Coordinates of all heavy atoms in Angstrom, one line a residue:
Chain A
S290 N 47.5 204.1 38.7 CA 48.0 205.1 39.7 C 49.3 205.6 39.3 O 50.0 204.9 38.4 CB 48.1 204.4 41.1 OG 49.1 203.4 41.0
F291 N 49.7 206.7 39.9 CA 51.0 207.2 39.5 C 52.2 206.3 39.8 O 53.1 206.1 39.1 CB 51.3 208.6 40.1 CG 52.4 209.4 39.4 CD1 52.2 209.9 38.1 CD2 53.6 209.6 40.0 CE1 53.2 210.5 37.5 CE2 54.6 210.2 39.3 CZ 54.4 210.7 38.1
F292 N 51.9 205.5 40.9 CA 52.9 204.5 41.4 C 53.1 203.4 40.3 O 54.2 203.0 40.0 CB 52.4 203.9 42.7 CG 53.3 202.8 43.2 CD1 54.5 203.1 43.8 CD2 52.9 201.5 43.1 CE1 55.3 202.0 44.2 CE2 53.7 200.4 43.5 CZ 54.9 200.7 44.1
E293 N 52.0 203.0 39.7 CA 52.1 202.0 38.7 C 52.8 202.5 37.5 O 53.6 201.8 36.8 CB 50.7 201.6 38.2 CG 50.0 200.6 39.1 CD 48.5 200.4 38.7 OE1 48.3 199.5 37.9 OE2 47.6 201.1 39.2
F294 N 52.6 203.8 37.1 CA 53.3 204.4 36.0 C 54.8 204.4 36.3 O 55.6 204.1 35.5 CB 52.8 205.8 35.7 CG 53.7 206.6 34.9 CD1 54.0 206.2 33.6 CD2 54.4 207.7 35.5 CE1 55.0 207.0 32.9 CE2 55.3 208.5 34.7 CZ 55.6 208.1 33.5
R295 N 55.1 204.8 37.5 CA 56.6 204.9 37.9 C 57.2 203.5 37.7 O 58.4 203.4 37.3 CB 56.7 205.4 39.3 CG 56.4 206.8 39.5 CD 56.2 207.1 41.0 NE 57.5 207.0 41.7 CZ 58.4 208.0 41.8 NH1 58.1 209.1 41.1 NH2 59.5 207.9 42.4
N296 N 56.5 202.5 38.1 CA 57.1 201.2 38.0 C 57.2 200.6 36.6 O 58.2 200.0 36.3 CB 56.3 200.2 38.8 CG 56.6 200.2 40.3 OD1 57.7 200.7 40.6 ND2 55.7 199.7 41.1
S297 N 56.3 200.9 35.7 CA 56.3 200.4 34.4 C 56.8 201.3 33.4 O 57.3 200.9 32.3 CB 54.9 199.9 34.0 OG 54.1 201.1 33.8
G298 N 56.8 202.6 33.7 CA 57.2 203.6 32.7 C 56.2 203.8 31.6 O 56.5 204.6 30.6
R299 N 55.1 203.2 31.6 CA 54.1 203.4 30.6 C 52.8 203.9 31.2 O 52.3 203.4 32.3 CB 53.7 202.0 30.0 CG 54.9 201.3 29.3 CD 55.4 202.0 28.1 NE 56.5 201.3 27.5 CZ 57.8 201.4 27.8 NH1 58.1 202.3 28.8 NH2 58.7 200.7 27.3
L300 N 52.2 204.9 30.5 CA 50.9 205.5 31.0 C 49.8 204.6 30.6 O 49.9 203.7 29.7 CB 50.8 206.9 30.4 CG 51.8 207.9 31.0 CD1 51.9 209.1 30.1 CD2 51.4 208.3 32.4
G301 N 48.6 204.9 31.2 CA 47.4 204.0 30.9 C 46.5 204.5 29.8 O 45.9 203.7 29.2
C302 N 46.4 205.8 29.7 CA 45.4 206.3 28.7 C 45.8 207.7 28.4 O 46.5 208.4 29.1 CB 44.0 206.2 29.1 SG 43.5 207.4 30.3
P303 N 45.3 208.3 27.2 CA 45.6 209.7 26.9 C 45.2 210.7 28.0 O 45.9 211.7 28.2 CB 44.7 209.9 25.6 CG 44.5 208.6 25.0 CD 44.4 207.6 26.2
Y304 N 44.2 210.4 28.8 CA 43.8 211.3 29.8 C 44.8 211.5 30.9 O 44.8 212.5 31.7 CB 42.4 210.9 30.4 CG 41.8 212.0 31.3 CD1 41.3 213.2 30.8 CD2 41.7 211.7 32.7 CE1 40.8 214.1 31.7 CE2 41.2 212.7 33.5 CZ 40.7 213.9 33.0 OH 40.2 214.8 33.9
D305 N 45.7 210.5 31.1 CA 46.7 210.6 32.1 C 47.6 211.9 32.0 O 48.0 212.4 33.0 CB 47.7 209.4 32.0 CG 47.0 208.1 32.4 OD1 45.9 208.2 33.0 OD2 47.6 207.0 32.2
Y306 N 47.8 212.3 30.7 CA 48.6 213.5 30.5 C 47.9 214.7 31.1 O 48.5 215.7 31.4 CB 48.8 213.7 29.0 CG 49.9 212.8 28.4 CD1 49.6 211.6 27.8 CD2 51.3 213.2 28.6 CE1 50.6 210.8 27.3 CE2 52.3 212.4 28.1 CZ 51.9 211.2 27.4 OH 52.9 210.4 27.0
T307 N 46.6 214.7 31.2 CA 45.8 215.8 31.9 C 45.8 215.6 33.4 O 46.1 216.5 34.1 CB 44.4 215.8 31.3 OG1 44.5 215.9 29.8 CG2 43.6 217.0 31.8
H308 N 45.4 214.3 33.7 CA 45.2 214.1 35.2 C 46.5 214.2 36.0 O 46.5 214.6 37.1 CB 44.6 212.7 35.3 CG 44.2 212.4 36.7 ND1 43.1 213.0 37.3 CD2 44.7 211.5 37.6 CE1 43.0 212.5 38.6 NE2 43.9 211.6 38.8
F309 N 47.6 213.7 35.4 CA 48.9 213.7 36.1 C 49.8 214.9 35.6 O 51.0 214.8 35.8 CB 49.6 212.4 35.9 CG 48.9 211.2 36.5 CD1 48.6 210.1 35.7 CD2 48.7 211.1 37.8 CE1 48.0 209.0 36.2 CE2 48.0 210.0 38.4 CZ 47.7 208.9 37.6
E310 N 49.2 215.9 35.1 CA 49.9 217.0 34.5 C 51.0 217.5 35.4 O 52.2 217.7 35.0 CB 49.0 218.1 34.0 CG 49.7 219.2 33.3 CD 48.8 220.0 32.4 OE1 47.6 219.9 32.5 OE2 49.3 220.8 31.6
K311 N 50.6 217.7 36.6 CA 51.6 218.3 37.6 C 52.8 217.4 37.8 O 53.9 217.9 37.9 CB 50.9 218.6 38.9 CG 51.1 220.0 39.5 CD 50.4 220.3 40.7 CE 50.0 219.2 41.7 NZ 49.0 219.5 42.6
E312 N 52.5 216.1 37.9 CA 53.6 215.2 38.1 C 54.5 215.0 36.8 O 55.7 214.7 36.9 CB 53.1 213.8 38.6 CG 52.4 213.8 40.0 CD 51.0 214.4 40.0 OE1 50.4 214.5 38.9 OE2 50.5 214.7 41.1
L313 N 53.8 215.0 35.7 CA 54.5 214.7 34.4 C 55.4 215.8 33.9 O 56.4 215.6 33.3 CB 53.5 214.3 33.4 CG 52.9 212.9 33.5 CD1 51.9 212.6 32.4 CD2 54.0 211.8 33.3
E314 N 54.9 217.0 34.2 CA 55.6 218.2 33.6 C 57.1 218.2 33.9 O 57.9 218.3 33.0 CB 54.9 219.5 34.2 CG 55.5 220.8 33.7 CD 54.8 221.3 32.4 OE1 53.7 220.8 32.0 OE2 55.5 222.1 31.7
P315 N 57.5 218.1 35.2 CA 59.0 218.1 35.4 C 59.7 216.9 34.7 O 60.8 217.0 34.3 CB 59.1 218.0 36.9 CG 57.8 217.6 37.4 CD 56.8 218.0 36.4
L316 N 59.0 215.8 34.6 CA 59.6 214.6 34.0 C 59.8 214.9 32.5 O 60.9 214.6 32.0 CB 58.6 213.4 34.2 CG 59.0 212.1 33.6 CD1 60.2 211.5 34.5 CD2 57.9 211.1 33.7
L317 N 58.8 215.5 31.9 CA 58.9 215.8 30.4 C 60.1 216.8 30.2 O 60.9 216.6 29.2 CB 57.6 216.4 29.9 CG 56.5 215.4 29.8 CD1 55.2 216.1 29.4 CD2 56.8 214.3 28.8
I318 N 60.2 217.7 31.1 CA 61.3 218.7 30.9 C 62.7 218.0 31.1 O 63.6 218.3 30.4 CB 61.1 219.9 31.9 CG1 59.9 220.7 31.4 CG2 62.4 220.8 31.9 CD1 59.5 221.8 32.4
N319 N 62.7 217.1 32.0 CA 63.9 216.3 32.2 C 64.3 215.5 31.0 O 65.5 215.4 30.6 CB 63.7 215.3 33.4 CG 64.5 215.7 34.6 OD1 65.6 216.3 34.5 ND2 64.0 215.4 35.8
I320 N 63.3 214.9 30.4 CA 63.6 214.0 29.3 C 63.9 214.8 28.0 O 64.8 214.6 27.3 CB 62.4 213.0 29.0 CG1 62.1 212.2 30.2 CG2 62.7 212.2 27.7 CD1 60.8 211.4 30.0
H321 N 63.0 215.8 27.7 CA 63.0 216.5 26.4 C 63.5 217.9 26.5 O 63.7 218.5 25.5 CB 61.6 216.5 25.9 CG 60.9 215.2 25.6 ND1 61.2 214.4 24.6 CD2 60.0 214.5 26.4 CE1 60.5 213.3 24.6 NE2 59.7 213.3 25.7
D322 N 63.8 218.4 27.7 CA 64.2 219.7 27.8 C 63.2 220.7 27.4 O 63.5 221.9 27.0 CB 65.5 220.0 27.0 CG 66.4 221.0 27.6 OD1 66.2 221.3 28.8 OD2 67.3 221.5 26.9
S323 N 61.9 220.3 27.4 CA 60.8 221.1 27.0 C 59.5 220.4 27.3 O 59.5 219.2 27.5 CB 60.8 221.3 25.5 OG 59.6 221.8 25.0
S324 N 58.4 221.1 27.4 CA 57.2 220.4 27.7 C 56.1 221.0 26.7 O 54.9 220.8 27.0 CB 56.7 220.6 29.1 OG 56.4 222.0 29.4
V325 N 56.5 221.6 25.6 CA 55.5 222.1 24.7 C 55.8 221.6 23.3 O 56.9 221.8 22.7 CB 55.6 223.7 24.7 CG1 54.5 224.3 23.8 CG2 55.5 224.2 26.1

Side-chain angles (χ1 to χ4, degrees):
Chain A
S290 68
F291 198 69
F292 176 75
E293 281 174 87
F294 161 66
R295 289 164 71 81
N296 276 342
S297 69
R299 301 290 181 275
L300 291 160
C302 77
Y304 187 71
D305 291 349
Y306 282 95
T307 306
H308 188 69
F309 296 120
E310 183 157 12
K311 228 175 29 199
E312 292 80 13
L313 284 174
E314 181 88 18
L316 183 69
L317 291 174
I318 290 171
N319 252 329
I320 301 170
H321 300 283
D322 211 15
S323 164
S324 65
V325 184

